[in-house]
């Protein structure tokens, strides 16, 4: 079995990372109001409604944290592509399997190292 050509993989997969980044940024903008502090309006919001609003806010904030973490991963993968390091395991330096990168272009480790470090 031949190793994948990291430059060809980067050329093919980095545009996917850029598209995913744009989508995550759009989702972040769309959910900004959901993450905002819940106003205390005792006239129209009862205790149950306020609890629901706080729960919705917490879920939106958690989703935003996951989006931000993914954006960091995407940016790191794009930098690795620019530096010629895309497709190589950050732990052992061996090539990451093409199928793994197809599944997640931001993957930083080969399967063996991910299992070891995971």
């Amino acid at each position: 079995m031949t190793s994948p050509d990291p430059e060809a993989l980067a050329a093919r997969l980095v545009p996917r990372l850029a598209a995913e980044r744009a989508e995550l940024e759009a989702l972040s903008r769309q959910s900004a109001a959901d993450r905002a502090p819940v106003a205390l309006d005792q006239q129209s919001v009862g205790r149950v409604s306020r609890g629901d609003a706080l729960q919705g806010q917490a879920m939106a904030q958690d989703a935003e944290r996951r989006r931000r973490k993914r954006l960091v991963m995407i940016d790191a993968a794009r930098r690795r592509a620019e530096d010629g390091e895309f497709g190589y395991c950050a732990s052992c330096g061996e090539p990451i399997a093409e199928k793994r990168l197809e599944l997640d272009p931001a993957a930083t480790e080969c399967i063996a190292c991910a299992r070891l470090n995971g």
Side-chain angles (χ1 to χ4, degrees):
M1 183 169 107
T2 61
S3 296
D5 175 20
E7 287 183 26
L9 277 174
R12 194 171 79 241
L13 297 177
V14 168
R16 278 184 39 201
L17 290 169
E20 183 181 357
R21 185 176 216 305
E23 182 180 341
L24 289 170
E25 288 174 336
L27 286 170
S28 183
R29 285 189 300 276
Q30 291 171 359
S31 69
D34 296 335
R35 297 186 314 272
V38 175
L40 177 59
D41 182 0
Q42 294 180 349
Q43 303 286 321
S44 63
V45 179
R47 219 184 332 198
V48 172
S49 297
R50 181 162 169 75
D52 288 345
L54 288 169
Q55 183 178 15
Q57 176 198 36
M59 290 179 359
Q61 289 172 340
D62 187 55
E64 181 65 13
R65 277 189 291 278
R66 288 191 309 271
R67 274 192 292 274
R68 292 285 152 210
K69 183 178 178 182
R70 183 65 183 170
L71 286 169
V72 168
M73 292 174 67
I74 288 169
D75 290 344
R78 292 173 75 183
R79 278 192 303 278
R80 286 192 305 277
E82 290 170 4
D83 296 341
E85 298 173 6
F86 185 85
Y88 292 100
C89 179
S91 295
C92 70
E94 292 297 315
I96 299 173
E98 185 172 356
K99 286 184 180 182
R100 178 165 173 77
L101 289 170
E102 287 284 347
L103 225 97
D104 182 7
T108 59
E109 294 180 311
C110 65
I111 291 290
C113 290
R115 285 184 182 151
L116 247 166
N117 298 328

